[in-house]
């Protein structure tokens, strides 16, 4: 089987649509470097498109009907959207799923210290990172600090051109002889990923009488750089050092997503795993027409650390929301929730590893995704003997093939890489627990989990087209 290059399938009008969609997507990436920021953007756009908040409808006991659009957010980090179809919910939904958390460095709870004249923030990395990739690049701080009285201070520093940035230092090459002998996995250790946030001491004016004259002498104190940081943070955010305890601060690469290549065919940006699938799924949800089956889109947190926690896919948040929606439709029962979920079809979307000619031996060329090759389907993921994978049914794959052919969507099938080299998981197996049809799908990414990841504009556009076709036609 040969993979068609998606670019070759487009006419002039589609080429323009590809570029327009890429611009929207890059904008989304720039405004959403944390889960919370993504949720803000998504909720704003969803409300503009007529989506109503589930909790408000519950409080007002507003019944739902065909065509209604409703969303529920969980702890500002996960969201589920429903568009009620013509058929009963118990006949199943068509569900799009993706995750909005990305690998990064998280600030610890007692992070601030001074060493050698620098003020540092201590970090613990989140998700799978090649630690050596995170040194000497400009970093930004995004997140929230929640004070004891419940007020939330939003932090976003390092993105505007006149903002300061932060960085992790690395040893100069001139002295790196020993360091360079180390294995790549240990050359930069996790505890070495603390970011430098300042170098200037707090200077206190101290008046002293000398020979009967006033003389001003500037004196510095112990840990004066650290103290200066606290003074600046107090001034900027009105916070005390203890407020770090209840903060979620994420250190991410600073700067905007960019077009890549002379032909501008690619996008280089942070956090494309998995915001590329989240964005294209979300947009498909907004652009779709009214459908027979209820359409659903779930965008979750914590995938990169095992889908755990109240906002991860393993949380009952999604199931609870389905129960509430059924209730507002006047159809709730425990059995109906189960029937609805068991009869559903899902595209569980996450990024797939794109073939990298520089590392060709890591891939099976016949079963790998190519950048520009269209939307990707992974019948299974997992590692070493498909372990931990959701292996989609052949019957379901046949159904999906038929839908994509009908909608003329370019797609490719792939595995992550060569069989014994490693692997990765997604949220697919969690939804499959309900007995529904689930398949892993998504967009190919080069340099996955690096500070800057690359995708093809054509694949991003094609994914949205694929999601729309799925929402409209899937029914198995
Ligand atoms: Mn992912
Ligand atoms: Mn990932």
């Amino acid at each position: 089987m040969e993979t068609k290059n998606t670019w070759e399938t487009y006419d002039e009008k589609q080429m323009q649509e590809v570029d327009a969609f890429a611009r929207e997507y890059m904008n989304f990436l720039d405004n959403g470097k944390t889960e919370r920021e993504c949720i803000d953007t998504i909720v704003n756009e969803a409300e503009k498109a007529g989506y109503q908040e589930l909790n408000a409808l519950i409080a007002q006991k507003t019944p739902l009907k065909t065509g209604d659009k409703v969303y529920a957010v969980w702890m500002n980090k996960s969201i589920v959207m429903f568009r009620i179809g013509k058929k009963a919910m118990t006949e199943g939904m068509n569900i799009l799923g993706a995750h909005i958390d990305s690998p990064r460095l998280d600030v610890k709870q007692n992070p601030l210290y001074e060493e050698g004249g620098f003020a540092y923030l201590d970090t613990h990395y989140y998700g799978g990172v090649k630690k050596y990739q995170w040194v000497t690049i400009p970093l930004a701080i995004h997140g929230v600090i929640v004070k004891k009285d419940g007020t939330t201070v939003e932090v976003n520093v390092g993105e505007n051109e006149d903002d300061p940035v932060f960085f992790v230092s690395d040893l100069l090459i001139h002295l790196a002889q020993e360091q360079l002998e180390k294995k790549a996995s240990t050359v930069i250790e996790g505890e070495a990923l603390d970011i430098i946030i300042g170098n200037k001491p707090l200077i206190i004016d101290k008046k002293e009488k000398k020979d009967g004259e006033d003389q001003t002498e500037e004196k510095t104190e112990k840990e004066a750089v650290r103290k200066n940081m606290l003074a600046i943070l107090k001034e900027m955010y009105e916070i005390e050092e203890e407020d770090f305890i209840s903060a979620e601060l994420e250190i991410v690469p600073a700067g905007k997503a960019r077009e890549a290549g002379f032909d501008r065919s690619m996008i280089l940006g942070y956090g494309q795993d998995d915001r590329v699938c989240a964005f294209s799924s979300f947009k498909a949800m907004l652009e779709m027409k009214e459908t027979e089956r209820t359409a659903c889109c779930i965008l979750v947190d914590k995938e990169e650390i095992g889908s755990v926690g109240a906002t991860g896919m393993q949380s009952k948040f999604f199931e609870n929301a389905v129960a509430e929606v059924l209730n507002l439709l006047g159809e709730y029962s425990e059995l109906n929730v189960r029937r609805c979920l068991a009869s559903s079809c899902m595209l569980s979307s996450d990024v797939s590893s794109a073939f990298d000619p520089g590392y060709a031996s890591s891939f099976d060329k016949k079963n790998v995704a190519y950048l520009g090759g269209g939307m990707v389907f992974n019948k299974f993921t997992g590692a070493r003997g498909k372990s931990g994978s959701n292996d989609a049914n052949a019957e379901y794959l046949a159904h999906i093939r038929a839908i994509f052919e009908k909608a003329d969507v370019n797609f490719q099938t792939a595995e992550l890489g060569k069989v014994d080299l490693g692997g990765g998981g997604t949220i697919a197996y969690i939804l499959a627990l309900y007995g529904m049809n689930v398949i892993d799908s998504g967009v190919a990414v080069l340099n996955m989990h690096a500070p800057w990841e690359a995708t093809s504009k054509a694949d991003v556009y094609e994914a949205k087209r694929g999601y729309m076709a799925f929402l409209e036609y899937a029914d198995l």
Side-chain angles (χ1 to χ4, degrees), residues 99 101-103 127-128 273-274 303-305 350-351 424-425 448-449 453:
H99 69 92
D101 59 316
S102 295
D273 173 4
D274 182 33
E303 192 276 339
E304 295 295 358
I305 58 169
D350 207 338
V351 291
M448 194 190 294
H449 281 211
E453 301 171 314

Side-chain angles (χ1 to χ4, degrees), residues 292-420:
E292 292 294 315
R293 307 223 304 173
T294 292
C296 173
C297 176
I298 171 144
L299 307 174
V300 289
D301 177 30
K302 299 284 189 282
E303 192 276 339
E304 295 295 358
I305 58 169
S307 297
V308 291
T311 53
M313 193 66 246
Q314 293 189 54
S315 155
K316 291 282 183 285
F317 149 67
F318 170 64
E319 189 183 315
N320 293 346
V322 171
E324 295 284 6
V325 167
L326 273 166
N327 197 38
L328 291 179
L329 284 163
E331 292 168 28
Y332 174 75
S333 73
E334 165 77 23
L335 188 60
N336 279 352
V337 173
R338 289 168 189 248
R339 281 181 177 160
C340 170
L341 291 168
S343 314
S344 293
C345 290
M346 183 186 197
L347 291 187
S348 169
S349 287
D350 207 338
V351 291
S352 201
S353 55
F355 176 70
D356 187 337
Y359 302 91
S361 65
S362 298
F363 304 96
D364 166 11
K365 282 189 187 177
K366 307 182 300 308
N367 289 287
V368 65
Y370 289 86
L371 217 67
M375 192 171 154
V376 185
F377 285 98
N378 308 82
K379 187 173 183 301
F380 45 84
T381 57
R384 298 170 202 87
K386 297 187 176 181
S387 168
S389 132
N390 162 71
D391 198 342
N393 250 0
E395 288 84 348
Y396 186 43
L397 255 173
H399 182 59
I400 297 285
R401 278 172 66 196
I403 291 170
F404 277 61
E405 205 173 288
K406 183 171 170 181
D408 207 15
V409 176
N410 200 27
F411 72 93
Q412 48 186 332
T413 59
E415 285 195 41
L416 206 58
K418 269 192 182 163
V419 170
D420 278 332

Side-chain angles (χ1 to χ4, degrees), residues 204-219:
I204 301 165
D205 287 347
K206 222 176 179 182
K207 286 199 167 183
E208 280 182 319
K209 281 241 175 195
K210 234 183 193 179
D211 304 333
E213 274 176 63
D214 263 5
Q215 275 197 345
T216 302
E217 201 184 323
E218 288 184 336
K219 282 206 167 171

